[in-house]
Amino acid sequence: MGFTFTEIMPAWPEIFLACAAMGLLVLGVFMKTGAARSISWLSVLALVATGILEIVVVPDGGRVHIFNQLFVADVFTTFVKCLILGASAVGIIMSLGYNDREDIARFEFPILILLATLGMMMMVSAADLISLYVGLELQSLSLYVIAAFRRDSVKSSEAGLKYFVLGALASGMLLYGSSMIYGFSGSTNFLQLAKVLDADASAGIIVGLVFVMVGLAFKISAFPFHMWTPDVYEGAPTPVTAFFAAAPKMAAMALFISVLVGPFGNLVAQWQQVLVLIAIGSMLLGGFAAITQSNIKRLLAYSSIGNMGYALIGLSAGTKDGYSAVLIYMSIYLVMTVGAFAVVLCMRREGRMVEEVKDLAGLSKTQPAMAALMALFMFSMAGIPPLAGFFGKFYVFLAAIEAKLYILAIIGVLASVVAAYYYLRIVMTMYFTEPVEDLDRNVGPELSTIQAIAGAFVLFFILFAEPVVQMTNQAIASLTSG
Amino acid sequence: MYVAAVFLPLLGAIIAGLFGRAIGDRASQLVTCGLMAVSAVFGCVIFYVVALQGLDKPLIIPVFEWISVGDLKVNWSLQFDTLSAVMVFVVTVVSCLIHIYSIGYMHHDPGIPRFFAYLSLFTFSMLMLVTADNIVQMFFGWEGVGVCSYLLIGFWHHRESANAASIKAFVVNRVGDFGFALGIFGLFAMFGSVEFVNLLADGAGAEALKKTYQIAGYSIAGQDALNIVCILLFVGAMGKSAQLLLHTWLPDAMEGPTPVSALIHAATMVTAGVFMVTRMSPLFEYAPIALAVVTVVGASTALFAATIGLVQTDIKRVIAYSTCSQLGYMFFAIGVSAYPAAIFHLMTHAFFKALLFLGAGSVIHGMSDEQDMRKMGGIWRKMKVTYTMMWIGSLALAGIGIPLTIIGFAGFFSKDTIIESAFAAHTGWGEYAFWLGIVAAFMTAFYSWRLLFMTFHGKTRASSDTFSHVHESPPIMLIPLMGLALGAIFAGALMVDLFVGDKFKEFWGGAIFILETNKALEHAHHVPMWVKFSAIAVGVGGITVAVFYYLLIPSLPALTARVFRPLYVFFLNKWYFDELFNFLFVRPAFMFGRFFWKKGDVATIDGLGPDGIAATALRSSRLVAALQTGFVYHYAFSIMIGAVALISLYLLGVMR
Amino acid sequence: MVVQALAFYAFAAVLISAGIMVVVSKNPVHSVLFLILCFFNAAGLFVMMGAEFLAMILVIVYVGAVAVLFLFVVMMLDVNFTELREGFARYLPIGLVIGVVLLIELIVLVSGAIPIGKASGPVAKAIAKQPSGHNTEMIGRLLYTDYFYLFQAAGMVLLVAMIGAIVLTHRRRDGVRRQSIAKQTARKSSESIRVVDVKPGEGL
């Protein structure tokens, strides 16, 4: 079986990205000094180009399977991939100044992010359990390395190692689950599986599915597979943490959707109960555990656990509206997180990074603009209208209520009240406590631009909520079109 | 062009607001003023194309779909008809002049980019308000101008009084907005739509009269429902336009920089209420009770504010009360169905009141930030241009002109039309409004010249130090003054035929709806001679009295104050409205608040609820944190336990 | 048939017990040796299934390279294994409970003891039998045609692993002498040899 180049058009972006990563790798090796910065910007360029290519080759309506049904492309994958590419590009840009200052500016960093992004794109486009696994591993392996990128720091190495060991365990479970599914159904292909599985599938399939879900839940750091998150977030270099909190979460969540909706779409009743438990656990844990955190990176780690819980509400609704709500939620979450981390990256005192919540004290007096933006992100995460975060929560809760998951929705609302407490605590620290020592001022144009753009998005989302909703609806429509 | 006219100020605001610090003061000024100037040119063109040449039907330019929830569909579009074209014209032109003026006025202020960003943002919100094609979008603009006004009043936020004033403005406006919001809900309940196309369609109001509505289990006749909704909308207008009872914020709002007072609290924002009611004329026309309320409130405000203006000593506050009073005129014009007259006065008023405010700003600027008229005087030789401008403004405000000709200042035509319409309405309320309007006109003339004489004439009461520093303002401030002066002189004479002349129906097209039976405006041209002359007579009378009081016999004011002491004190304390509100609302609210806080909240709810829950939350949080040991094998264990637990749960569920 | 069954059970039994020994044996070197035993038995199972290529690869790659590398690491690093194993007894009970529960559940599932849904066993047809041929050849064919995509993707994974290993461990030290082949070959005799005319009896 051979493929012509036009046949595999939907995979052009991936091919391009892979070639770009390898080309830049070679370029980086041959460039002598100062390679890191130029390779970084070239990588950003490559990501942007991939995004454009992605939009060019998107199949209009319907799904296109290629590579012997291992790879699928549709509006859904395009939507998610564009978000991922954007988040990765922002991740690289955010790392520039940090890496320079911390003396870890090496050209491999952007390359690894490119490869991780490639892995994410492959995950999103996976149409087979094997391609899912390979994509996931490509992504994870790159992430393990960049978590430990600051190899002279014990914390960073520890974070990388922890992530690696636990990630391997989770991957093992996923693989085990996949093998069970194959054993009980005779196929690993999503199309095949969707065809042969119906509501009354054998218990083996479902147990296999639970194992697969464990692996995926680990990747989105949902309860009770979240334990690595706070440690890795705290230990990894801050721009890496920012990247972790954004793109991979989006990719894993999209994968979660496409796995559950595609091959196992007929088993809604079975996976719904598992998801509900995971969602409730994540929301409550994210809400309660963050209260006593003093390190802002740890706090944001718990916050992302909680946020994954909310997103899972939409998924567990098991309706098109629910899936579309997940996409909206994740898009908004992506921007808020990136914005918040861009602020955290500015927390430096005499050139050293500081990471405690109390270091933000009195920020409103010393740097009012940044304090206002951070307050905006926190209010938005707390879900206060009319900011973007409110709409994310609104749509998932709406979907849950329409699916008659009342208890889930109620717990979600209660957990978000608890979570609001610690978001507002940050705002309070910034506005109502006296500054101890000023933070450094020169944050660099990249970070302030990212903050401003994210802030504008959060603030003005209300104005373009409708087109976004329409886009996600379209994405979900093409995902479920079979 | 239409879209650009509205959105250019927003662009300016974004540039100056977000990047102001980066691009510097000068660039922020240039950007905002430049964009505003372009917008003003567009505003003029729009006025020419839409209002003067006329359109068959309103031009609606969709921008994008905004809200779509259930039955409620709201698009974001701009609507241009004669009414909005007039408003766009006034807003962009006045705003542009004030932007330019501010360059001079604010030149030593540290927060220049912020100031210009707010000004431009305000202008955008105001344009959004006047070009809205549905009431929700209008509400958006309405709240937008409210927020900007709040920000601008409190612009000098290090001043305690400025903060208090901005909060007061915000809270009082909230009361009005609450009414407005209820009105919108009511409209949606009645018509099932928020688009003007449906709300204000021909016969929509008449249709509504015939139905009965079921609201919360009560059935309400169409007539009553319409009256209630219109009164609610008017409550919103009262808040924004500082009408009696909700007027208390406007004088305090003078804490803001003077260009702000000119732009927001004289020329544009406060007239939003007038605009809104006029826009809703197809509904108000079918709600006679609401119209009566509008008349009475408007006329009472006109007189009431004028009486306070008589005795104020702060130069800006005098003009502020005068604004309040002139808004009263506009409202009672609406009340007698003379909407065109109200809008006409709105336009002329925008010019001459902005002129007066900016003139006052020029005086304050020259007097080293002195606002008390008792500490001025005799400065006319030192600031001749400003002095001339203030004269022009005052003549326009007092409505000086020669009846039966087209010679006269802008205010003459509009104000006389209003007073004549009130008379020609031939209703009890109209009569009431007419007489109050005449008395108020007398007072208006009096306090205007009182202001002129106290500020510019006589011996100076300023300290010699200040006096020696008095200087004329720079050209950048004087040129906008001249522009506005042109408007104050000619706008009336040029536009009177179009706006309220015999052919006014053709001019306004479908933008304003007047029932066939309400002919106040047509009849206004044929009132008895004494009515036509009464307004100018009292105006001249007022000036004469002022000449006696403040130029010829300077001891007279003190004497009068002594003789009519109770009345004087009553006026001086603004009819004790602030004290009354304080007693009626503020203090009980604080008392209630304190009671519920101490007894209800702290003792009952906190004890059982939040504090208890908070303690539990904290405990569980510590517990979870304790689980986070940092050992990889613990984490691995938790993953295994989680997986096994989920599978066991599932299998147990299946077996059950 | 009987021989085959016997061989299968023998391989499987040794495999599992060796696996257990990897975990429980006190000496890490023994653990690695048991691991190698595991690999051999697994290779045996593969051979029985007719997957001789996989069997050989397992032996060559895992035993020949990976396990030997493990052995080196274990012997060269000075890790106090007794300390690492301290928690072992403490967590044994709970670990056992979880393991046993999972085991029972899986046995129940596979044996089809729970009568839910369809009877257990593949519901779809497995991959169609390929035309018979050499095992290695068949794998090669599949890899380069049907699974071309996965093959390439796996290559990317390996690339990442390589980059990662270099990034995390490679250090450029000062003062290390390196061989520069270009320099060596570019050397001319005129640069390196000086002919000195030494007068007899004078020395240098």
Side-chain angles (χ1 to χ4, degrees), chain C residues 187-194:
Chain C
R187 236 163 105 98
K188 293 199 183 93
S189 60
S190 57
E191 291 165 11
S192 45
I193 300 174
R194 190 159 54 102

Side-chain angles (χ1 to χ4, degrees), chain A residues 62-73:
Chain A
R63 326 189 72 202
V64 180
H65 288 80
I66 53 170
F67 288 129
N68 193 28
Q69 298 186 343
L70 290 168
F71 185 97
V72 67

Side-chain angles (χ1 to χ4, degrees), chain B residues 29-60:
Chain B
Q29 287 170 345
L30 284 179
V31 166
T32 47
C33 292
L35 291 173
M36 202 54 239
V38 176
S39 175
V41 171
F42 286 161
C44 295
V45 178
I46 291 171
F47 180 68
Y48 177 75
V49 172
V50 177
L52 297 186
Q53 292 196 325
L55 293 173
D56 299 341
K57 55 179 186 195
L59 181 67
I60 294 184

Side-chain angles (χ1 to χ4, degrees), chain B residues 35-105:
Chain B
L35 291 173
M36 202 54 239
V38 176
S39 175
V41 171
F42 286 161
C44 295
V45 178
I46 291 171
F47 180 68
Y48 177 75
V49 172
V50 177
L52 297 186
Q53 292 196 325
L55 293 173
D56 299 341
K57 55 179 186 195
L59 181 67
I60 294 184
I61 303 166
V63 181
F64 56 80
E65 194 170 304
W66 183 28
I67 302 174
S68 159
V69 178
D71 291 342
L72 182 67
K73 284 228 180 331
V74 184
N75 282 331
W76 194 277
S77 9
L78 307 178
Q79 171 175 351
F80 288 94
D81 53 12
T82 308
L83 184 56
S84 35
V86 170
M87 292 302 288
V88 168
F89 169 67
V90 171
V91 170
T92 52
V93 170
V94 173
S95 171
C96 175
L97 292 173
I98 288 171
H99 267 77
I100 297 169
Y101 177 89
S102 305
I103 295 178
Y105 191 82

Side-chain angles (χ1 to χ4, degrees), chain B residues 346-365:
Chain B
L346 188 162
M347 185 187 76
T348 56
H349 174 256
F351 285 114
F352 63 70
K353 193 52 67 67
L355 175 64
L356 282 174
F357 260 119
L358 295 188
S362 178
V363 169
I364 296 167
H365 192 73

Side-chain angles (χ1 to χ4, degrees), chain B residues 176-460:
Chain B
D177 292 348
F178 190 59
F180 190 17
L182 284 179
I184 294 176
F185 300 156
L187 281 179
F188 186 64
M190 285 173 73
F191 296 93
S193 169
V194 293
E195 312 266 335
F196 288 148
V197 182
N198 302 327
L199 287 181
L200 309 180
D202 286 343
E207 201 109 313
L209 291 185
K210 294 178 198 139
K211 294 191 200 150
T212 48
Y213 295 95
Q214 301 291 331
I215 291 168
Y218 295 95
S219 63
I220 298 173
Q223 180 68 69
D224 297 339
L226 206 57
N227 272 324
I228 292 170
V229 166
C230 286
I231 289 174
L232 284 172
L233 292 176
F234 177 60
V235 169
M238 279 167 68
K240 192 94 352 198
S241 295
Q243 291 301 289
L244 200 57
L245 300 179
L246 297 181
H247 66 280
T248 52
W249 64 273
L250 184 59
D252 288 14
M254 295 302 132
E255 285 295 338
T258 308
V260 171
S261 312
L263 179 61
I264 297 188
H265 307 118
T268 53
M269 186 187 86
V270 287
T271 60
V274 179
F275 166 77
M276 188 263 280
V277 175
T278 308
R279 173 59 89 205
M280 306 309 280
S281 59
L283 296 179
F284 274 83
E285 277 300 287
Y286 290 102
I289 298 179
L291 282 181
V293 171
V294 174
T295 317
V296 172
V297 170
S300 310
T301 310
L303 179 73
F304 150 82
T307 57
I308 299 177
L310 293 178
V311 296
Q312 292 296 310
T313 52
D314 183 321
I315 184 167
K316 281 176 74 180
R317 280 184 186 240
V318 174
I319 310 179
Y321 277 107
S322 148
T323 306
C324 215
S325 158
Q326 297 302 313
L327 289 166
Y329 277 101
M330 297 178 207
F331 273 113
F332 77 69
I334 287 173
V336 297
S337 296
Y339 304 96
I343 296 296
F344 186 35
H345 194 53
L346 188 162
M347 185 187 76
T348 56
H349 174 256
F351 285 114
F352 63 70
K353 193 52 67 67
L355 175 64
L356 282 174
F357 260 119
L358 295 188
S362 178
V363 169
I364 296 167
H365 192 73
M367 296 281 297
S368 319
D369 292 334
E370 181 56 64
Q371 302 199 5
D372 194 336
M373 292 195 296
R374 284 170 302 187
K375 293 184 184 154
M376 297 179 181
I379 58 171
W380 69 276
R381 277 175 207 286
K382 293 198 169 192
M383 8 188 24
K384 283 188 182 144
V385 182
T386 306
Y387 176 59
T388 323
M389 295 301 145
M390 290 298 276
W391 260 92
I392 294 174
S394 301
L395 284 169
L397 172 61
I400 300 301
I402 306 171
L404 307 177
T405 64
I406 56 156
I407 302 166
F409 289 90
F412 163 69
F413 298 99
S414 51
K415 199 186 211 171
D416 277 18
T417 315
I418 289 179
I419 292 179
E420 285 157 17
S421 303
F423 180 82
H426 296 302
T427 57
W429 307 121
E431 201 86 336
Y432 172 80
F434 170 69
W435 286 112
L436 260 54
I438 290 285
V439 178
F442 172 79
M443 294 181 178
T444 307
F446 177 79
Y447 65 64
S448 300
W449 265 264
R450 171 173 173 267
L451 185 152
L452 277 180
F453 294 146
M454 281 181 82
T455 310
F456 291 103
H457 289 269
K459 263 208 208 100
T460 186

